[in-house]
Each structure stands twice: as structure tokens, then as C-alpha cells.
Amino acid sequence: MTVTCRPAAAADLDAVAEVRVRTWQDAYAGIVPQHYLDGLTPAAEADRRRPRFPRPGEHVAEAAGRVVGWAAIGPYRDEHGDAPAPGCGEIGAIYVLPAWQGRGVGRQLMAYALADLGRQGLVPVLLWVLADNRPARRFYERAGFARDGAAHDYEIGGVTLPEVRYRFPA
């Protein structure tokens, strides 16, 4: 199977919305309140994102002639004043449709994202993940990320959930 990663284009909006919603509904089941996940729709997600899509740093992964993954990268947002160094990069999101997980799409999209951040001089690279999202944490660890000790709470659907931060290189 050939996977092609590239910057997102305006024509990718509906596919990216589908990737985001279906991945959230699959990956966060049992973590995020079900009523919140049930309320997500690709159409509403596309409408929400339309005014600002694509942003710089948004990338897609294509396989079998369709968008099956999406990532958003850029400078670290440092919303908590806890950046370990100036000039850090961040993977704000990386999602692969559930049916395409385990086929190497995520690994290729991650490698593409890390290479792009490296070209921009945004290192180290940080990311936040829900503490209870064990599959995502294993994926990041296999990609060379390690927890760096930072943590904070994230509110989703009226529930506060802990997030932990990972760093690359570890």
C-alpha cells in the first residue's frame, strides 16, 4: 500500500472532518463522555473548520485514492507557560481513520510531520495526549516520544480529563 503525505488543501475539508470525527468517536469511547462523542458529525465539523481551513501546518495522508489521516503541527502553543525551551514544535493532532490504523499510515504521517517540524527548526517536538488514551500513548512511545512529566487537565463535554505531555526526541 502506498501512502502519500502532503499539505492539506481546501478540497480536503470534508475528508478531514470525517477523519477527525470518526477517530474521536473510536479512540475516545470510554474516555470522553459518550453524549459528546454521539453529538459529533462530519458535517458540523466541516462547517466549524471551513472559515479557517486549511491552516499552515495541516497535512493529510492519502491511501487508496482517499484521505485517511490528518495532522496539525506548528510552534508549541505554550498555553500553560511550561515550554521546556524556546522554539519547540508541537504536534497538535494526528488522526488516522480507524479502519486504516495498524497499516503504517500513522507512522508515515508522524515521520512526515516530524520532518516538517525539523525543517522549520522547531525542536524538540511536544504533544499532549489524554492520559487514559493508552493506544495513542503506545503509538507515540514507539515513534520515539517519552513523557516529560508535564500534565494538566482538559475539559471535554463537561468532564475534566487529565492530559500528559510527550517530547521528541525523548
Side-chain angles (χ1 to χ4, degrees), residues 8-23:
D12 298 321
L13 175 63
D14 290 333
V16 167
E18 179 82 15
V19 168
R20 287 178 51 86
V21 167
R22 299 301 173 225
T23 304

Side-chain angles (χ1 to χ4, degrees), residues 25-51:
Q25 290 171 330
D26 181 72
Y28 298 144
I31 301 172
V32 169
Q34 193 61 45
H35 70 85
Y36 182 86
L37 297 173
D38 291 344
L40 299 174
T41 67
E45 177 68 9
D47 287 345
R48 185 181 73 78
R49 297 182 64 74
R50 186 167 280 107

Side-chain angles (χ1 to χ4, degrees), residues 3-146:
V3 176
T4 303
C5 298
R6 61 170 173 77
D12 298 321
L13 175 63
D14 290 333
V16 167
E18 179 82 15
V19 168
R20 287 178 51 86
V21 167
R22 299 301 173 225
T23 304
W24 266 66
Q25 290 171 330
D26 181 72
Y28 298 144
I31 301 172
V32 169
Q34 193 61 45
H35 70 85
Y36 182 86
L37 297 173
D38 291 344
L40 299 174
T41 67
E45 177 68 9
D47 287 345
R48 185 181 73 78
R49 297 182 64 74
R50 186 167 280 107
R52 63 188 197 294
F53 186 84
R55 287 182 172 178
E58 290 191 87
H59 303 288
V60 297
E62 291 180 312
R66 67 182 283 213
V67 171
V68 298
W70 171 81
I73 65 169
Y76 185 63
R77 293 171 285 180
D78 203 15
E79 296 167 351
H80 304 282
D82 61 355
C88 294
E90 181 174 12
I91 295 179
I94 184 165
Y95 301 127
V96 173
L97 283 172
W100 288 87
Q101 293 174 12
R103 299 183 186 193
V105 176
R107 285 189 302 276
Q108 290 188 37
L109 189 54
M110 176 65 80
Y112 180 86
L114 290 172
D116 191 12
L117 289 165
R119 280 189 297 276
Q120 296 177 53
L122 297 172
V123 291
V125 176
L126 307 171
L127 63 81
W128 289 95
V129 59
L130 292 174
D132 288 340
N133 189 346
R134 305 260 185 256
R137 291 177 62 181
R138 282 191 300 273
F139 171 77
Y140 299 136
E141 290 163 4
R142 284 192 307 266
F145 285 79

Side-chain angles (χ1 to χ4, degrees), residues 131-163:
D132 288 340
N133 189 346
R134 305 260 185 256
R137 291 177 62 181
R138 282 191 300 273
F139 171 77
Y140 299 136
E141 290 163 4
R142 284 192 307 266
F145 285 79
R147 281 190 63 186
D148 72 356
H152 70 252
D153 291 331
Y154 185 66
E155 191 275 325
I156 304 174
V159 174
T160 301
L161 301 168
E163 280 192 311

